[in-house]
């Protein structure tokens, strides 16, 4: 069941994603890679998360995440903080620049997905909305 769901989601996203390339253009315009965008999203959602936790969540090595963080610091998207109790432990905070970028990214991504889904009939869209709302409620720990 999980395998089939994964394949269906991948196929669906293949049909509706990047229809006009605006998301990829936005990333390139801001000098942010896809992995760096994912890292920014994690830091935005959970500020102060240690780099080691970020690496674990992203399935990447700590040196890889540290390099991404360094690049994002140089671009002005994050600031790095030392833990006052353990100076070896570092965490990241997003800047206002990153918040603006993430807002634009989410808007452009949603627009592209909506455009890609435009050919669906109204009843299919409604069933998809209901299924996604239920799935997100479960994933976010809300009762359905």
């Amino acid at each position: 069941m999980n395998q089939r769901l994964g394949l269906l989601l991948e196929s669906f996203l293949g049909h509706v994603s990047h229809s006009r390339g605006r998301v990829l253009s936005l990333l390139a315009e801001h000098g942010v890679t896809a992995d760096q965008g994912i890292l920014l999203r994690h830091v935005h959602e959970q500020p102060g998360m240690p780099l080691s936790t970020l690496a674990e969540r992203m399935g990447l090595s700590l040196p890889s995440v540290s390099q991404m963080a360094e690049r994002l610091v140089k671009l002005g998207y994050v600031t790095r903080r030392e833990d006052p109790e353990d100076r070896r432990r570092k965490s990241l905070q997003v800047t206002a620049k990153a918040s603006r970028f993430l807002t634009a990214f989410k808007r452009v991504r949603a627009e592209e997905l909506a455009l890609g889904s435009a050919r669906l009939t109204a009843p299919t869209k409604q069933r998809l909305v209901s299924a996604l709302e239920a799935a997100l409620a479960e994933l976010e720990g809300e009762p359905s």
Side-chain angles (χ1 to χ4, degrees):
M1 178 68 116
N2 283 341
Q3 178 77 14
R4 177 147 170 75
L5 177 60
L7 290 171
L8 287 168
L9 287 170
E10 194 282 326
S11 182
F12 177 77
L13 289 174
H15 283 284
V16 300
S17 290
H18 308 300
S19 59
R20 300 176 69 195
R22 291 183 55 219
V23 169
L24 299 175
S25 294
L26 183 70
L27 288 168
E29 177 184 319
H30 288 270
V32 175
T33 66
D35 281 345
Q36 290 167 346
I38 293 167
L39 186 143
L40 278 175
R41 193 190 84 226
H42 282 298
V43 174
H44 183 261
E45 291 171 356
Q46 293 190 320
M49 186 186 306
L51 290 179
S52 57
T53 304
L54 275 169
E56 186 178 305
R57 290 231 173 126
M58 294 179 69
L60 298 171
S61 69
L62 182 56
S64 293
V65 170
S66 293
Q67 284 180 334
M68 278 194 280
E70 184 59 32
R71 172 98 170 106
L72 292 170
V73 167
K74 287 180 182 175
L75 289 171
Y77 288 107
V78 296
T79 57
R80 188 187 320 248
R81 293 196 181 148
E82 287 182 353
D83 185 315
E85 295 172 17
D86 182 353
R87 298 184 69 191
R88 295 170 298 165
R89 193 169 162 172
K90 310 277 191 271
S91 65
L92 302 174
Q93 305 287 326
V94 295
T95 62
K97 180 179 179 180
S99 292
R100 288 189 302 274
F101 167 76
L102 289 167
T103 298
F105 181 85
K106 188 174 187 174
R107 179 184 46 77
V108 168
R109 179 91 168 118
E111 287 170 3
E112 281 208 340
L113 291 170
L115 276 171
S117 303
R119 296 183 322 198
L120 298 175
T121 64
T124 298
K125 285 180 189 175
Q126 185 53 57
R127 287 191 305 274
L128 185 56
V129 165
S130 296
L132 289 171
E133 286 174 342
L136 286 169
E138 281 186 38
L139 291 170
E140 294 167 0
E142 299 172 9
S144 43

